[in-house]
Amino acid sequence: MLAITRLLSRRIHNTSEVIVSGFSIISPKHVEVEYANGTKFNFSSEFLRVHSPAADGKVRSINGEKVISGRRYVGIMSAEPVGNYGVRLVFDDLHRTGIYPWDYFYELGSNKFGLMRNYIKTLQKHNLSREPPPRRK
């Protein structure tokens, strides 16, 4: 089990101070972020990968929409703290340019189900899949 835990403070939505009390890579497929106010978010690596805050060369732009497909089984290889404000996740598809600020994790967690629903609808709309493409022989 990989784990990285740091005590950090960050203003969330400019309303109240929320302290990040823990960050753990539970498995290569799951991350947990916990805040001192008791809020805890669990994320799949697929969810974090498709919602990466970085520009990525593997992203398709279809009619101006950001579309990432085929990431159902992506895993997280490591997490690197970035200052006091976030973490860089390194995925096993070699994506490593996304820096996830603590307030972005909070935003993702607060809207997780709607974001995942929209992601799946976008894939369906463009006839794409969460499944990775078959390997070439």
Side-chain angles (χ1 to χ4, degrees):
M1 178 189 302
L2 303 170
I4 178 175
T5 303
R6 296 175 57 94
L7 295 175
L8 303 162
S9 63
R10 181 77 180 145
R11 286 205 175 273
I12 305 297
H13 305 297
N14 296 324
T15 56
S16 62
E17 190 168 319
V18 178
I19 298 174
V20 176
S21 59
F23 175 88
S24 299
I25 298 176
I26 305 301
S27 73
K29 304 290 183 201
H30 290 90
V31 168
E32 183 176 276
V33 182
E34 188 171 357
Y35 295 85
N37 68 0
T39 304
K40 185 185 295 187
F41 297 114
N42 291 294
F43 300 103
S44 71
S45 54
E46 175 192 15
F47 180 83
L48 292 173
R49 175 61 182 88
V50 300
H51 290 94
S52 173
D56 183 356
K58 295 182 181 179
V59 174
R60 283 183 172 180
S61 181
I62 302 173
N63 298 328
E65 277 185 293
K66 173 183 168 182
V67 182
I68 300 174
S69 62
R71 298 296 187 263
R72 174 171 248 160
Y73 303 111
V74 72
I76 297 171
M77 295 192 318
S78 66
E80 305 161 357
V82 178
N84 286 334
Y85 69 91
V87 65
R88 176 191 320 272
L89 297 178
V90 179
F91 294 89
D92 61 11
D93 68 352
L94 305 180
H95 177 72
R96 62 176 300 116
T97 57
I99 297 174
Y100 295 77
W102 301 121
D103 58 349
Y104 185 59
F105 278 117
Y106 200 92
E107 181 182 327
L108 288 176
S110 298
N111 300 296
K112 182 167 70 170
F113 297 106
L115 290 169
M116 193 64 180
R117 185 174 41 249
N118 290 341
Y119 165 59
I120 291 169
K121 284 181 180 179
T122 299
L123 290 177
Q124 290 171 341
K125 176 177 154 184
H126 298 293
N127 203 24
L128 296 170
S129 173
R130 293 172 62 196
E131 301 297 324
R135 289 188 172 183
R136 294 182 187 170
K137 292 182 180 184

